[in-house]
Amino acid sequence: MAEMNLLQAINSALDLAMKADEQVLCFGEDVGQFGGVFRASSQLQEKYGSDRCFNTPLTEQGIVGFANGLAAQGMRPVAEVQFADYIFPAFDQIVNETAKYRYRSGNQFDVGSLTIRTPYGGGIHGGLYHSQSPEAYFTHTPGLKIVVPRNPYQAKGLLLASIQDDDPVLFFEPKRLYRAAVGDVPEDAYTLPLSKAEIVREGQDLTLVAWGAQVEVAEAAAQQASESGIECEVIDLRTLLPWDSDTIAESVRKTGRLIVTHEAPRTSGFGAEICATLQEMCFLSLESPIMRVTGLDTPFPLALEKEYLPNALKLVDAIHDSLNY
Amino acid sequence: MSDQRHWAEHQVNQPVFSDSLQQAIPTFCVLQTDGQVYPDATMPDIDQSLAQKIYRTSCFIRALDERMLASQRQGRISFYMTETGEEAADIGSCAALTDDDLIMGQYREQGALAFRGFTVDQFMNQIFSNEQDLGKGRQMPVHYGSRELNYMTISSPLTTQLPQAAGYAYGMKLRGQSSCVICYFGEGAASEGDFHAALNMAAVKHAPVIFFCRNNGYAISTPAHEQYAGDGIASRGPGYGIRTIRVDGNDMLAVLKATQDARAYAVESQKPVLIEAMTYRLGAHSSSDDPTGYRSRKEEQLWRHKDPVERFKLWLMAQGWWDEAQDQALKEEYRQSVSNAMKRAEKIPAPHLRDLVTDVYQQVPAHLEAQFASLEAHIQRHPEAYPKTAGRLHHG
C-alpha cells in the first residue's frame, strides 16, 4: 500500500499497464515528455519511449480517430482528451465509429481495446468549458462502456479494468479530486469489476445514488441527515453503461425512497434514466416520488458556481422532502 | 525544444504572397485514350497475368454494377452505388499492393475488394443482407468488409476512416511490419475535418499510409469548384509535409505506377503519401440520385470517351494479351455469374433475430438480454407480423 492522490493512482495504473503489455500506448495533447497538463502521464515517455507515449497535434477528432485505427489493428490505446468539455469534436468518431465498429462489421473488426480518458466535472472555477459532465451524451450510445471513479483506489482498479476490457471504454476522471482525494492504494496491479455498483454507506431510510466526485457530496449529505436520525444508503454507480440497476433496486426495495444526484444539467441527464428504470423495477416499494438533485439546465457558470452545483445542503433538503412526502 | 525550421534563412524584404494556382501540380499520364503509351512515359511494373487480372476485375465490377443498379430499379434491393468510370482508380491502385496491406475505403471501391478475391456470392449476400452476409445484415448495401481480405468494413460517415488509417498504419509501424494502409476517399470527403486531422497526424507520427483521393468532380450534386478553391486536393499534401502526386485517374497504368512508387516510399520511409486521381463519376451518385438535374449529357459524353476500362482494353489488345472473342466471352460469363449469384442470395433467409443484439458488446449485457427476451416474447405472440424471424426463433 502507498498513499496516493487520484492523479498518482491513474499514473500508477498507466505505468503498470504499459509495463505489462507493450501494446498499450498513451497519447494526447501534452501527454508526452511534459506528462500531461494534470501530470497523469508523468514519466511514461521516459520509461516507455516516445513511440508509446507521445504528444499528438491539437485535434480531438484526430486523437480518437487515430486511436480507433490503433485499436482496430489490435494495439491497446489509451487516448487522453484534455478536458471532457473538448470531447465534442470527437463525438462523431466515438458515437458513429468507436461504438459501432464491432456491430457493423459482424464482429470482423472491433476497437474493444480502446480506452479514452478525460477529466470532467466542476467545482474548480472552470466556467463553461472546464467544468462539464457530458456523460449522458454518451450513455445514449449502445456499444460504449462508461466508467467514473470516485477516489484513488477506485480510479486505479477501474482504469486497469477499463484498459483490459474488450469493449471500448470512456473513462471520466473527476478533476476536482485529482489532488484533493488521497488514500491508500496498492502499488501492484489490481482490477475492480465494471458494471457493478458499490454500496459505500448502508442505511434503511432512503437510497442516494451518485458517481464520481458527487459521491463525496452524497456521503456528506448522508452524514448530515444521520445527525437528524435519517439513515441513507449511499451507492456509487461507478459504471454508467452498462449500469447496475439490480444493486439500486435491491436498496430501494429496502428503503422505499430514492434520490439521484449528478453535476450535469437535469433534463435528459443520466439521472432521468435511473429514475425511469427504478420506478419500473420498484413501483410497489416506492413511498415517495424518485427525486433528482442536479445541476441546473444552464451552461456551467463561473461566478455562481456554488449556487449552480448540487451540494450537500441541497441534498439534505431533498432528503427531508422525500421523508416528509 | 522548439523547432521553427529555418524561416529566417528564407527572408525577403518585399511582400511575397504565395499562390498555389501559379504552382499547379502536374498530372501523371501514361496511357492515351487510343490505348497507346505516351512515348516518354514511365511504365509500371506489370506483366500479362497482372494486366489480365486488372482487366477481368474491371469487367466483373461493370457487370455487378449494371445488374445491381437494375435490381434496385426493380425494387429487389434497397440501395446501390456504382463505381462506373472510376475502375482504374481503385483497381489500378489496389493492384500495386500486397495482400498484407490494409484497405480502408469510402464506399465506391468495390473493385479493390473484388481484386482481393471477394466472391460474387459474398457481394450478393451483403447486398441482400441475408444470413450469410459477413456483416450479419446490419448495414446498407455496398458497406462491405472482409477481415480475411484485409478490407476494413465500410461505414457511411464520410472521412472517419482517414484518421483511423493513420492510427492503423502507425500500429503496423510499431509492430515492424513492412506493410501499409491505403485509404480511399472522394474529393468531397476531403472537406471534412477528419481529412485535416488525418493528414496532419499521419505526417507528424510518420505513419505508412497512402491517402488515395478519387477526385471525380462531384460530391452528389456539388461540383468540385463549389468544394474547394485551391489546386484540387493534391496541393494540400505539401502543406502537411506529405509527398504528393496527381495522376490521371482514368489511366490504369499511371495509377498503377504512381501507387507502386507510393507504396515503396511509404513502407521504406515509414511516411504517408497522398495520391489524387483525377476522374469522373460517370454514374449517378447512388440509386437515390438523378444527375440530370445538375449536369449535362454533353459533359458525361466527353468523359465516356475517356472510359478507363476501354482504354486499358485497347492497350491489352495492343500487347497481344487480349482479343474481342475473349472479351465477349468474359462479359457473358460475368453477366451469368452475377445473375445466378443474385438468384441464390435472394433465396437465403434474413439473419436470425439474435443477430440484432450480438456484437454491440463482446458479450450481450444483462439489460440487452432483457430487451431481447421481451422482443422474443412479443414476436411469439404476433408471429404473423414478423415473417422474417418468427418461424426461426428457436434455431438461433
Side-chain angles (χ1 to χ4, degrees):
Chain A
M1 285 286 183
E3 191 168 84
M4 294 186 198
N5 66 29
L6 204 145
L7 271 172
Q8 289 163 331
I10 285 164
N11 183 251
S12 169
L14 294 173
D15 187 2
L16 290 166
M18 292 184 85
K19 188 189 277 181
D21 180 357
E22 59 176 36
Q23 301 189 72
V24 175
L25 306 168
C26 292
F27 52 89
E29 295 157 15
D30 305 296
V31 166
Q33 192 198 359
F34 181 60
V37 293
F38 293 103
R39 318 315 302 264
S41 53
S42 186
Q43 301 295 311
L44 297 180
Q45 188 178 81
E46 196 171 63
K47 287 184 189 171
Y48 303 105
S50 55
D51 278 352
R52 290 181 59 202
C53 176
F54 53 86
N55 288 339
T56 64
L58 205 164
T59 167
E60 286 77 14
Q61 65 197 93
I63 291 167
V64 176
F66 193 85
N68 277 333
L70 272 166
Q73 209 264 354
M75 303 298 271
R76 206 159 273 278
V78 184
E80 178 179 303
V81 173
Q82 201 162 76
F83 286 86
D85 311 68
Y86 307 128
I87 204 166
F88 300 114
F91 197 74
D92 184 45
Q93 281 287 345
I94 296 170
V95 168
N96 274 331
E97 297 292 315
T98 305
K100 297 171 175 58
Y101 232 88
R102 191 192 295 277
Y103 190 75
R104 74 186 185 202
S105 71
N107 202 23
Q108 294 188 87
F109 298 95
D110 69 83
V111 295
S113 55
L114 170 63
T115 303
I116 301 169
R117 297 176 38 244
T118 188
Y120 86 97
I124 55 143
H125 310 292
L128 276 73
Y129 304 111
H130 299 83
S131 306
Q132 292 180 67
S133 299
E135 65 269 13
Y137 291 103
F138 297 99
T139 54
H140 198 55
T141 306
L144 300 177
K145 289 188 176 176
I146 296 167
V147 178
V148 195
R150 73 170 186 277
N151 65 28
Y153 176 76
Q154 301 284 326
K156 181 169 172 180
L158 289 171
L159 181 54
L160 281 169
S162 299
I163 293 170
Q164 286 171 22
D165 196 83
D166 286 323
D167 287 309
V169 176
L170 257 172
F171 193 83
F172 287 102
E173 299 168 2
K175 63 181 169 296
R176 179 169 68 76
L177 302 183
Y178 265 161
R179 290 190 174 80
V182 178
D184 281 339
V185 177
E187 285 168 284
D188 290 338
Y190 62 95
T191 59
L192 295 171
L194 303 187
S195 292
K196 187 80 194 116
E198 185 190 7
I199 298 169
V200 296
R201 179 189 176 111
E202 294 197 6
Q204 68 289 328
D205 297 327
L206 183 144
T207 302
L208 275 176
V209 174
W211 52 89
Q214 195 63 10
V215 177
E216 187 186 58
V217 178
E219 285 182 287
Q223 184 58 38
Q224 287 179 41
S226 174
E227 285 155 19
S228 46
I230 301 164
E231 292 305 328
C232 294
E233 184 143 296
V234 179
I235 297 178
D236 176 6
L237 196 53
R238 298 201 294 195
T239 298
L240 272 59
L241 190 70
W243 61 289
D244 179 7
S245 54
D246 288 342
T247 295
I248 304 175
E250 195 181 330
S251 173
V252 172
R253 285 184 194 116
K254 176 176 71 175
T255 63
R257 292 179 162 85
L258 173 63
I259 297 176
V260 184
T261 180
H262 55 68
E263 284 183 29
R266 172 166 313 193
T267 300
S268 299
F270 193 64
E273 184 61 37
I274 297 176
C275 294
T277 302
L278 268 295
Q279 70 83 21
E280 280 177 25
M281 293 177 81
C282 303
F283 188 72
L284 295 176
S285 308
L286 286 168
E287 293 177 41
S288 70
I290 302 174
M291 295 178 181
R292 285 175 285 170
V293 178
T294 67
L296 273 64
D297 286 339
T298 67
F300 199 107
L302 181 67
L304 300 183
E305 179 174 69
K306 185 170 181 184
E307 284 71 12
Y308 170 89
L309 277 170
N311 59 19
L313 192 58
K314 290 180 186 175
L315 261 176
V316 170
D317 269 3
I319 290 167
H320 286 296
D321 287 348
S322 181
L323 265 295
N324 297 329
Y325 183 80
Chain B
M1 189 183 70
S2 169
D3 174 11
Q4 296 293 321
R5 309 289 151 148
H6 301 290
W7 290 348
E9 291 172 19
H10 299 291
Q11 194 180 47
V12 292
N13 300 112
Q14 290 78 38
V16 178
F17 291 90
S18 294
D19 182 343
S20 71
L21 292 175
Q22 287 168 7
Q23 307 154 11
I25 293 181
T27 304
F28 172 52
C29 309
V30 174
L31 203 50
Q32 305 178 55
T33 44
D34 63 0
Q36 298 296 307
V37 170
Y38 285 100
D40 295 336
T42 306
M43 284 290 289
D45 184 8
I46 187 169
D47 59 14
Q48 182 174 351
S49 141
L50 179 63
Q52 287 188 344
K53 185 178 176 187
I54 291 170
Y55 184 67
R56 285 171 179 276
T57 306
S58 306
C59 290
F60 168 74
I61 287 299
R62 282 271 159 105
L64 179 73
D65 281 355
E66 227 166 77
R67 190 68 195 88
M68 288 301 99
L69 190 63
S71 298
Q72 195 281 333
R73 298 286 183 247
Q74 294 164 346
R76 290 165 83 174
I77 59 173
S78 56
F79 180 78
Y80 196 73
M81 301 177 103
T82 70
E83 66 166 73
T84 310
E86 298 179 52
E87 293 87 348
D90 65 330
I91 299 169
S93 55
C94 176
L97 308 176
T98 73
D99 288 346
D100 291 338
D101 297 331
L102 181 86
I103 299 173
M104 294 181 96
Q106 178 165 303
Y107 48 58
R108 215 182 292 286
E109 298 91 7
Q110 54 263 47
L113 184 56
F115 187 88
R116 280 274 167 102
F118 210 58
T119 67
V120 65
D121 287 311
Q122 288 176 315
F123 275 107
M124 287 300 163
N125 293 335
Q126 199 284 329
I127 293 167
F128 282 89
S129 51
N130 62 34
E131 69 170 14
Q132 301 282 320
D133 168 28
L134 294 175
K136 304 186 186 175
R138 290 166 181 156
Q139 292 213 82
M140 287 173 76
V142 313
H143 291 56
Y144 309 109
S146 169
R147 173 96 253 183
E148 193 193 343
L149 299 176
N150 262 328
Y151 192 97
M152 178 65 76
T153 301
I154 301 297
S155 72
S156 306
L158 285 181
T159 329
T160 49
Q161 78 276 21
L162 269 73
Q164 293 171 19
Y168 200 103
Y170 184 74
M172 285 175 157
K173 177 172 102 163
L174 290 195
R175 288 182 200 279
Q177 297 173 358
S178 53
S179 50
C180 68
V181 176
I182 191 164
C183 183
Y184 297 105
F185 56 99
E187 90 286 350
S191 295
E192 292 282 359
D194 272 339
F195 169 88
H196 160 68
L199 268 72
N200 197 32
M201 288 207 60
V204 169
K205 294 310 300 173
H206 295 186
V209 50
I210 303 168
F211 292 108
F212 193 105
C213 179
R214 296 176 291 96
N215 188 339
N216 64 17
Y218 287 90
I220 307 187
S221 74
T222 305
H225 72 266
E226 292 177 20
Q227 198 66 246
Y228 53 75
D231 180 22
I233 308 304
S235 66
R236 301 176 196 171
Y240 290 105
I242 292 180
R243 181 175 280 204
T244 298
I245 189 170
R246 173 174 289 149
V247 59
D248 179 349
N250 286 25
D251 176 343
M252 198 71 82
L253 295 176
V255 171
L256 179 63
K257 174 64 181 162
T259 315
Q260 284 172 344
D261 287 6
R263 186 189 182 279
Y265 171 80
V267 171
E268 280 159 27
S269 70
Q270 297 285 293
K271 283 181 184 166
V273 190
L274 173 62
I275 299 175
E276 181 182 27
M278 309 309 291
T279 179
Y280 189 81
R281 195 195 73 213
L282 271 180
H285 163 67
S286 74
S287 56
S288 310
D289 171 53
D290 174 12
T292 58
Y294 53 82
R295 70 186 193 191
S296 69
R297 289 271 179 220
K298 198 178 153 197
E299 182 184 288
E300 288 180 23
Q301 278 310 329
L302 192 72
W303 280 91
R304 232 169 268 288
H305 180 62
K306 301 180 185 180
D307 186 321
V309 181
E310 277 303 305
R311 193 192 299 190
F312 190 58
K313 182 177 107 178
L314 292 174
W315 178 77
L316 270 183
M317 288 168 61
Q319 307 306 299
W321 291 349
W322 201 249
D323 62 40
E324 275 301 342
Q326 273 177 295
D327 205 57
Q328 290 309 314
L330 182 75
K331 284 173 180 166
E332 183 49 33
E333 180 196 324
Y334 283 147
R335 268 194 292 272
Q336 276 303 322
S337 86
V338 166
S339 183
N340 293 340
M342 188 169 73
K343 285 174 198 150
R344 284 193 295 275
E346 274 180 316
K347 292 197 186 83
I348 297 172
H352 289 274
L353 186 66
R354 187 72 187 164
D355 286 334
L356 184 57
V357 296
T358 56
D359 305 330
V360 179
Y361 296 92
Q362 196 194 31
Q363 293 177 324
V364 181
H367 71 284
L368 194 47
E369 283 291 6
Q371 290 171 23
F372 180 72
S374 162
L375 174 63
E376 203 176 31
H378 167 79
I379 292 175
Q380 273 161 346
R381 282 196 299 277
H382 307 280
E384 69 293 344
Y386 304 96
K388 275 188 187 175
T389 47
R392 302 190 297 145
L393 278 186
H394 300 296
H395 305 292

